[in-house]
Amino acid sequence: MYGARARARVCVCVFLRACVLDPGGGSTGIHIHNVWIHNGDDSVAVKPSGLGDCTREILVESSHFEFGHGCSIGSVGSGCVENVLFRNITMANQENGCRVKTYSEQAGHVRNITWADITVKDTGSCVTVNANYKPLP
């Protein structure tokens, strides 16, 4: 299920500071694992393609996120995000833990997203769903 095709630039390394992992652009089969992210933004943000393609089959596991915005889906307007699994993740001092951001006025969808074995400490919101997210222009 999590294989080789990717149309997104994704870095996987041991420790990231001031970096965001944003699998998107219609990517398929991305596996992000064993990372430590301390960045002040979405730790991982799974996004659709701006062309309406679907980003799918994303696995994020065995990682630690701190001082950021958590495990995010979106923001999603047109396009879609499907079949994403976040598992075995610890988070500390985050603004959000697990988050979905969508635009209510655009067609698109988010399906089959799973957060499993997530440990959250000193975090503003454990789960946030925003169906009317307004990103900065």
Side-chain angles (χ1 to χ4, degrees):
M1 178 167 147
Y2 302 98
R5 188 172 80 81
R7 292 188 314 201
R9 194 181 100 216
V10 175
C11 52
V12 177
C13 50
V14 176
F15 182 81
L16 298 174
R17 189 178 292 273
C19 177
V20 179
L21 294 176
D22 290 352
S27 296
T28 300
I30 301 294
H31 183 198
I32 299 167
H33 57 94
N34 301 313
V35 295
W36 183 291
I37 300 175
H38 172 128
N39 69 347
D41 201 347
D42 292 323
S43 300
V44 174
V46 181
K47 302 176 179 183
S49 162
L51 302 174
D53 290 337
C54 193
T55 298
R56 57 174 55 98
E57 311 301 336
I58 308 296
L59 172 59
V60 181
E61 66 178 342
S62 304
S63 297
H64 176 79
F65 306 145
E66 62 182 33
F67 298 102
H69 299 173
C71 300
S72 300
I73 301 297
S75 54
V76 177
S78 62
C80 67
V81 174
E82 300 179 334
N83 306 325
V84 178
L85 173 58
F86 294 95
R87 72 177 173 206
N88 191 27
I89 295 171
T90 59
M91 291 187 247
N93 301 298
Q94 296 279 83
E95 183 178 305
N96 300 285
C98 307
R99 177 162 89 157
V100 176
K101 305 176 284 183
T102 66
Y103 302 88
S104 59
E105 68 273 2
Q106 295 185 10
H109 68 265
V110 174
R111 289 189 185 129
N112 196 25
I113 310 302
T114 303
W115 290 273
D117 299 318
I118 306 292
T119 301
V120 177
K121 179 182 175 189
D122 298 325
T123 295
S125 299
C126 291
V127 177
T128 304
V129 177
N130 188 337
N132 196 24
Y133 183 76
K134 300 290 186 192
L136 298 173

